[in-house]
Amino acid sequence: MSYLCSQSLIAYRIHSMFRWVAPEEANSCCSQGFRDSLFRSTTYSFGSICLGSLLVAFIQALRALVGSVKNNEDCTCLACILDCFLGCIEGALEYLNKWAYAFVGLYGMNYVEAGRSVFELFETKGWSSIISDDLCDRVLELICVGVGLLTGLIGVLFAYSDDQLLEALDLGDYEKLDAFFIGLIIGLVFSSILMSVVGAGVNAVIVCFCDSPQEFEANHPELSLEMRDAWVLAWPELVIFE
């Protein structure tokens, strides 16, 4: 439970670090905007981050408990139903957190208020169908898989180049295969951390673009025009901007 909560906490803290700053406040990796975001995510918004993380971790722990019961033949059917039900709740919570933490970071709202406000925003602007068509997460997942496969192949190359590399692990006759899986896991873990930052940034851009396109146009007129054209091209039937 603590591991699952800590894992979710780290991920959602990254999501909540994206907020409104002036362009001159975000001109470097250690800029004033970054320091302020880091400070707020570990102080004022930390309770909201912990609440969402705890809810997801609790459902994941319940699913793990139900999974351990599946081996009991007398409870297999019931366990499958419960697992499906908990999986739906987990997916709904993760989807809520994905957008709610963008509002937590941008406006400093609490968890419940942020979740309600962001979906009211999407419904008011007619963006519900747009966010349901968001394929960014799938693209980032494919990138993580690609990086994992690449690092796995690199692990195999290292194993072939140095026969003593994995000898201390005493892996037997499957050193090359184990080297691939070790590299695969390392690549997946590190790339998923990196891609989570990208995904959180994309979510924040979508929310900002929906909520205040005028500010975006004032600070970045060329990018604003490109995004407007792309949005209208993809969803011509929707009134995207008022």
Side-chain angles (χ1 to χ4, degrees):
M1 179 73 175
S2 60
Y3 165 74
L4 294 173
C5 188
S6 300
Q7 183 185 40
S8 300
L9 183 63
I10 294 172
Y12 291 136
R13 184 184 171 188
I14 293 174
H15 282 233
S16 65
M17 284 183 63
F18 290 86
R19 70 181 189 90
W20 287 111
V21 295
E24 59 271 12
E25 295 179 2
N27 53 11
S28 68
C29 62
C30 296
S31 62
Q32 183 65 36
F34 174 80
R35 294 195 299 270
D36 290 345
S37 297
L38 181 62
F39 176 77
R40 190 164 74 175
S41 68
T42 53
T43 53
Y44 303 114
S45 300
F46 195 65
S48 297
I49 299 171
C50 290
L51 177 58
S53 303
L54 180 62
L55 292 175
V56 173
F58 180 69
I59 297 299
Q60 290 176 339
L62 288 180
R63 291 194 69 187
L65 182 63
V66 170
S68 64
V69 180
K70 285 184 178 180
N71 296 327
N72 188 338
E73 295 182 357
D74 297 331
C75 303
T76 301
C77 182
L78 179 61
C80 289
I81 295 174
L82 288 176
D83 185 58
C84 180
F85 178 70
L86 292 173
C88 293
I89 297 178
E90 181 184 355
L93 280 175
E94 290 179 343
Y95 187 74
L96 169 65
N97 291 347
K98 170 183 176 180
W99 300 108
Y101 281 122
F103 253 52
V104 170
L106 290 169
Y107 302 111
M109 295 180 176
N110 62 52
Y111 178 75
V112 176
E113 184 183 0
R116 180 175 61 251
S117 298
V118 71
F119 283 103
E120 286 179 354
L121 171 66
F122 288 145
E123 185 176 357
T124 302
K125 293 294 185 70
W127 279 43
S128 300
S129 60
I130 293 179
I131 61 172
S132 65
D133 291 339
D134 180 22
L135 299 178
C136 177
D137 291 340
R138 301 294 176 264
V139 174
L140 296 179
E141 288 171 3
L142 289 176
I143 293 176
C144 291
V145 172
V147 172
L149 293 175
L150 180 60
T151 53
L153 293 176
I154 292 174
V156 173
L157 292 177
F158 274 112
Y160 273 109
S161 61
D162 186 359
D163 294 334
Q164 309 300 322
L165 183 63
L166 300 177
E167 185 176 356
L169 298 179
D170 191 21
L171 300 176
D173 298 331
Y174 300 99
E175 287 187 355
K176 308 300 185 297
L177 182 61
D178 291 325
F180 172 80
F181 282 109
I182 291 174
L184 175 67
I185 293 173
I186 292 175
L188 286 175
V189 170
F190 282 95
S191 62
S192 64
I193 294 173
L194 179 60
M195 291 301 109
S196 68
V197 177
V198 178
V202 171
N203 296 340
V205 168
I206 292 175
V207 171
C208 291
F209 197 44
C210 179
D211 191 28
S212 302
Q214 296 81 8
E215 282 79 356
F216 183 44
E217 184 176 8
N219 290 294
H220 305 281
E222 294 182 359
L223 290 176
S224 176
L225 180 60
E226 291 180 7
M227 289 190 68
R228 286 171 181 264
D229 292 341
W231 245 255
V232 173
L233 182 63
W235 293 280
E237 72 281 4
L238 295 179
V239 180
I240 299 176
F241 304 103
E242 295 180 355

